[in-house]
Amino acid sequence: MTPDIQLHPRLIVADPDRASAFYQDALGAEQVFRAPPGDDGRPSVVELRAGGASFRVSPAVSSWGWLSPGDLGGSAVLLEIEVDDPDAAGHRMTAHGGEVVVPIENRPYGRRSGRVRDPFGHLWIVTGPLR
């Protein structure tokens, strides 16, 4: 018997409230929880839900080993989001401050995909059906 496991990725960012607003605007995510602000004025965690997936954002705290992509010199993880219209999703991300790293195009492996770096340094593969 396998255990029931839930995975909740946590993205480390400088400003969790700003990141939450970006993911709500760019990905249509819904904020489902926000911890009260700590001594530094930032919440320790904000939980978001986009479609059937949930993820969290937390502030960078170097003494805890919580480092943002800016602290690391880049993102150590690729986040993949599958959507019906990757072009529209990529456009929303760039309209809200994301940067295209690899253009969204039809790929030889039968998907339309590309990569966008969000304003916080995290890399997203945006993928969906061919156009």
Side-chain angles (χ1 to χ4, degrees), residues 2 4 11 19-21 24-25 31 37 39 41 43 47-49 56 67 69 78 80 117 121 131:
T2 58
D4 181 26
L11 306 179
S20 175
Q24 289 175 70
D25 293 340
Q31 183 174 298
D39 294 340
E47 184 173 353
L48 300 151
R49 181 161 296 133
R56 297 169 179 168
L67 304 175
L78 283 171
E80 187 166 346
R117 179 179 294 109
R131 211 170 88 186

Side-chain angles (χ1 to χ4, degrees), residues 34-99:
R34 180 184 183 278
D39 294 340
D40 64 0
R42 302 178 301 175
S44 61
V45 64
V46 176
E47 184 173 353
L48 300 151
R49 181 161 296 133
S54 68
F55 63 101
R56 297 169 179 168
V57 293
S58 287
V61 181
S62 60
S63 62
W64 295 353
W66 291 12
L67 304 175
S68 72
D71 298 327
L72 296 170
S75 181
V77 174
L78 283 171
L79 299 145
E80 187 166 346
I81 183 170
E82 188 166 337
V83 294
D84 291 334
D85 186 344
D87 295 278
H91 177 73
R92 282 191 310 274
M93 291 178 83
T94 58
H96 288 92
E99 171 193 359

